[in-house]
Amino acid sequence: MQEEHKKAALEAILFAMGDSVELDRLAAAIEETPEETGRLLARMKESWEKENRGVCLVEYEGSFQMCTRGDMYEYLIRVAKAPKKYALTETLLETLSIVAYRQPVTRLDVERIRGVNSDHAISRLVEYGLVMELGRLDAPGRPLLFGTTEQFLRTFGVRSLEELPRLDEGKLEEFRAEAEEEAREMDAGTAGAGN
């Protein structure tokens, strides 16, 4: 199979699938090595960018997806309904940050860090497709473990979790101390209100 035919086959697969497809599966489909398939995909991406095409090729942790270019959105909404927007409140962003940086994480772990019940926030993030259940912790009660999804990567424009900004450990300790102080003040306020 010639290179142009292989690239056409990759384009057809990515178009038809709609979602991301693992590099190994793409390589098997065109009967090529993953390394060579990766090179073909890189050349396709570069070519599409040079040609200023309406689609682009995006990689998410070893999977590839054909996507509409972001600056083409305004034309799409003239034809299709605008996708449902979701609001990421401060609470949701805080919960999502904990899940992203500490995954796999249990609901209880999130609540310990946040200092408040996080059932609603985690449920909402799962509903939005940004967080998913990864399995169960091998501990009493077998609590669910949560982690981020490929949609999370897409939404925040990163290809892998390694691209997330690094947290300053000193700042993290400062935030933890502030959260513990706030929790103590809330507990003291609640106890005082009960008298």
Side-chain angles (χ1 to χ4, degrees):
M1 197 185 307
Q2 292 182 333
E3 180 175 315
E4 289 308 310
H5 190 70
K6 288 178 184 177
K7 288 197 289 191
L10 290 169
E11 184 174 348
I13 292 166
L14 293 170
F15 175 78
M17 295 301 289
D19 284 327
S20 64
V21 181
E22 297 85 3
L23 179 61
D24 289 343
R25 289 179 62 203
L26 291 169
I30 63 168
E31 300 176 332
E32 195 54 80
T33 65
E35 294 76 22
E36 180 57 25
T37 304
R39 285 190 282 278
L40 289 170
L41 289 163
R43 288 196 284 274
M44 285 170 58
K45 180 178 181 169
E46 185 180 312
S47 171
W48 292 0
E49 287 170 0
K50 279 183 186 172
E51 294 169 12
N52 205 25
R53 304 252 308 254
V55 293
C56 60
L57 191 58
V58 183
E59 181 182 358
Y60 300 108
E61 295 188 330
S63 295
F64 292 83
Q65 182 172 4
M66 180 187 290
C67 299
T68 305
R69 267 188 15 219
D71 59 338
M72 297 290 123
Y73 181 76
E74 67 177 282
Y75 303 106
L76 286 176
I77 61 174
R78 293 177 188 172
V79 177
K81 274 187 162 180
K84 183 181 176 187
K85 294 272 187 186
Y86 45 79
L88 289 177
T89 63
E90 194 172 313
T91 298
L92 293 180
L93 283 170
E94 183 179 278
T95 304
L96 184 57
S97 297
I98 293 166
V99 173
Y101 282 99
R102 301 300 281 272
Q103 63 186 305
V105 66
T106 66
R107 179 189 50 78
L108 188 59
D109 293 333
V110 173
E111 289 175 357
R112 280 190 190 124
I113 294 168
R114 290 192 62 230
V116 295
N117 184 300
S118 298
D119 285 340
H120 177 74
I122 290 174
S123 295
R124 190 62 81 178
L125 291 169
V126 168
E127 178 186 323
Y128 290 163
L130 299 172
V131 167
M132 66 179 177
E133 294 177 7
L134 298 177
R136 292 191 174 271
L137 184 63
D138 190 16
R142 304 214 8 100
L144 287 169
L145 289 167
F146 295 94
T148 55
T149 64
E150 195 174 274
Q151 180 61 37
F152 166 81
L153 299 176
R154 237 182 250 109
T155 300
F156 290 93
V158 293
R159 292 184 303 163
S160 71
L161 295 173
E162 284 73 39
E163 289 185 12
L164 291 176
R166 289 286 140 230
L167 292 179
D168 177 349
E169 284 302 317
K171 204 68 165 156
L172 199 56
E173 285 305 316
E174 187 181 315
F175 290 148
R176 188 174 290 123
E178 285 175 17
E180 288 171 0
E181 180 61 31
E182 284 177 24
R184 279 194 295 276
E185 288 173 7
M186 287 177 60
D187 287 345
T190 306
N195 292 336

